């Protein structure tokens, strides 16, 4: 399962980069959220998890998680991938580790992480920068925006940890996918043209 997850995350920026060159980034993300919602809905029905709708605890964390990790973060990533490479995105994803340690392992916690742990994650960031920009001082501004996007992910992940104390991981994924798909469809319908059938059909596998 871990290996499969790594393969999926490795392929994600490549597939996404291809999608945003074929259709509008909002609808590319909307299709992904929609298929995710359908998938988790089937699991939710199979597991009979309707009891979670009656729970009142930690809904705010679930909604904040959906807002940060899906709506804000993925809109930014899908948009900025139009202007940078999939390889750069994959490498800059490593900065999430550093920011997670920095915020919730050192700044916003009483249990401070060891300095060497912070240092090692910082070295990961430096190594990522060196791989992309060996001995160069000119940096693509869109790469900077991707790094800034990674700043918000640790806060969304923290809300995820708090929400799964009450809800199952599947229910969390279901709600965030539904919220995201509704929001994106609303925004996309106002500002962008819906992709035609041929474009959807040609990219159906990537969308799923």
């Amino acid at each position: 399962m871990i290996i499969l997850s790594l393969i999926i995350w490795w392929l994600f920026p490549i597939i996404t980069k291809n999608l945003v060159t074929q259709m509008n980034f909002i609808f590319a993300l909307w299709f992904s959220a929609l298929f995710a919602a359908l998938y988790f809905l089937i699991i939710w029905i199979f597991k009979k998890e309707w009891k979670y709708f009656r729970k009142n605890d930690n809904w705010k964390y679930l909604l904040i998680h959906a807002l940060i990790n899906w709506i804000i973060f993925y809109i930014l990533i899908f948009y900025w991938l139009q202007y940078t490479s999939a390889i750069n995105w994959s490498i800059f994803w490593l900065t999430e580790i550093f920011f997670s340690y920095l915020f919730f392992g050192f700044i916003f916690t009483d249990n401070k992480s060891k300095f060497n742990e912070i240092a090692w994650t910082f070295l990961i960031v430096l190594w990522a920068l060196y791989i992309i920009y060996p001995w160069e001082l000119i940096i693509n501004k869109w790469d900077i925006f991707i790094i800034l996007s990674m700043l918000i992910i640790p806060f969304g992940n923290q809300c995820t940890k708090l929400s799964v104390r009450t809800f199952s991981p599947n229910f969390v994924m279901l709600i965030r996918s539904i919220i995201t798909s509704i929001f994106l469809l609303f925004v996309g319908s106002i500002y962008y043209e819906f992709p035609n059938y041929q474009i959807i059909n040609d990219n159906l596998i990537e969308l799923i």
Side-chain angles (χ1 to χ4, degrees), residues 7 35 51 67 71 75 102 110 173 184:
I7 293 174
F35 285 124
K51 63 181 180 180
L67 175 65
I71 295 178
I75 283 178
L102 181 64
D110 294 328
M173 298 291 285
L184 292 173

Side-chain angles (χ1 to χ4, degrees), residues 80-81 83-89 92 95 129 132-133 138-150:
W80 287 328
L81 263 175
Y83 305 103
T84 188
S85 70
I87 295 176
N88 286 19
W89 187 94
F92 283 131
T95 59
L129 290 172
I132 297 176
Y133 304 109
I138 301 175
I139 298 178
N140 183 353
K141 66 177 181 179
W142 301 106
D143 292 340
I144 298 299
F145 288 142
I146 289 179
I147 294 177
L148 293 177
S149 300
M150 296 300 171

Side-chain angles (χ1 to χ4, degrees), residues 7 11 27 30 40 45 50 57 68 70-71 73 79 95 99 107 110 118-119 144 149 156 163 173 175 208:
I7 293 174
L11 290 174
F27 281 112
W30 175 72
F40 291 114
I45 294 173
W50 20 82
D57 300 332
I68 294 177
W70 268 62
I71 295 178
F73 175 72
Y79 176 74
T95 59
F99 292 134
I107 298 177
D110 294 328
I118 303 293
I144 298 299
S149 300
S163 62
M173 298 291 285
I175 296 300
I208 295 175

